[in-house]
Amino acid sequence: MSLDADWRADVDAVDAALIDEYQSGFPVESRPFERVAREIAAETGADVDADAILERVRDLREHGVFRRFGAVLNPPVIGSSTLAAVRAPEGRFDEIAEVINGYRQVNHNYRRDHEWNQWFVVTAGSRETRDAILAEIEERTGCEVLALPMLTDYYIDLEFPVVNGDRFARESLDQTEVSATRISEDARGDLTPLDADLLLAIQDGFPLSATPYADVADEIGATGSGVDPTVDDVLSAVDRLLAGGCIKRIGCVVNHVVTGFTNNCMVVWDVPDDELDERGEAVGSLPYVTLCYHRPRRTEQDWEYNLFTMIHGREAEAVDEKIDELAADHLPFTHERLYSTETLKQTGARYEDLVADGE
């Protein structure tokens, strides 16, 4: 299978189940592909075993449908993270982007169509390190930094249905629990040595083998860190990190490019503070909203917005229609639409820094 314009035509029912149904909820047990094989065989009627499922996952990764197989980690819970923005003069835009992107703690940076035109994420092992980086960026660029750490998570997930014709990212996914989850700006600082070693071992994915958790246990034991876990230790640690929010989900992480959801918009809203949780939970439960969270107002910087939403769709016009619907039916408040026009940097957070700085 090759990723040409018609690559979906080569996908059968087993591939479709792996792509659209196993982006999360992958079994946390010693031989997870055996259970997946049984579930897919029961659903599709296909004669597949664990070896066949494993080989299909390998093929889908090799051909670029999956970026990796493993855990999606949650940097704001593990360390201290913030969204930030600067107003970069056009004549210095590339220069300023180069300064910001030079920090390994900056894992995303986008140009957006707004007065605040460069938006980036800083994730560090402590609030002190995070704020020192922001201060240094301000000093080196001469640009005022707008710092907007997440305060409440109403709904955040980026699972994408790929094979079907849905117009929006969550359109046909099962309902996910939505709640007002407070996010501390301070690093947790309560990772066990095994937790820390585990996060480092899995940040780029699990081994694609019949026994991925046992392989991770062996890898950790070979690092010389003094931690030598069994597979049961690793399984318990993964369950614990999932329950604590350090791991968001485990599954096959889809390459965003193949999903077709190339149109997205960050919309910022000025919601009355006493309505924020009620509105945030209601909007977070809508089947076309992929991100919904609370960030602080910065009135001293003329930033009056406190609720952020994102919609990912296959067509720009459809995304705009849903934003109109949000404004008319759910969030009848002042808002601005910040369209992303260029990706300046997009990498995963590096957990060596988070773990070391948080110890």
Side-chain angles (χ1 to χ4, degrees), residues 167-168 171 269 286-289 311 316-328 330 337:
R167 295 175 306 154
F168 304 101
E171 195 165 345
W269 309 81
L286 295 173
Y288 53 84
V289 173
I311 297 172
E317 296 79 6
V319 171
D320 272 332
E321 288 174 4
K322 286 301 182 185
I323 297 172
D324 292 341
E325 181 179 317
L326 268 182
H330 303 281
R337 307 180 188 202

Side-chain angles (χ1 to χ4, degrees), residues 187-201:
R188 292 173 60 94
D190 59 357
L191 296 175
T192 69
L194 173 56
D195 293 340
D197 284 354
L198 176 60
L199 291 173
L200 295 181

Side-chain angles (χ1 to χ4, degrees), residues 8 15 150 170 177 239 254 281 288 327:
R8 287 178 177 81
D15 285 338
M150 188 187 305
R170 284 177 64 193
E177 182 180 350
D239 281 333
V254 172
E281 291 184 13
Y288 53 84

Side-chain angles (χ1 to χ4, degrees), residues 335-351:
H335 66 278
E336 291 193 64
R337 307 180 188 202
L338 283 71
Y339 295 92
S340 174
T341 58
E342 184 181 358
T343 299
L344 305 171
K345 184 176 183 180
Q346 188 176 48
T347 64
R350 301 312 300 171
Y351 291 86

Side-chain angles (χ1 to χ4, degrees), residues 154 267-269 271 276 280 292-294 305-309 331:
Y154 298 110
V267 189
V268 294
W269 309 81
V271 177
L276 191 55
C292 183
Y293 40 76
H294 165 213
Y305 304 107
N306 58 349
L307 186 69
F308 287 59
T309 60
L331 295 170

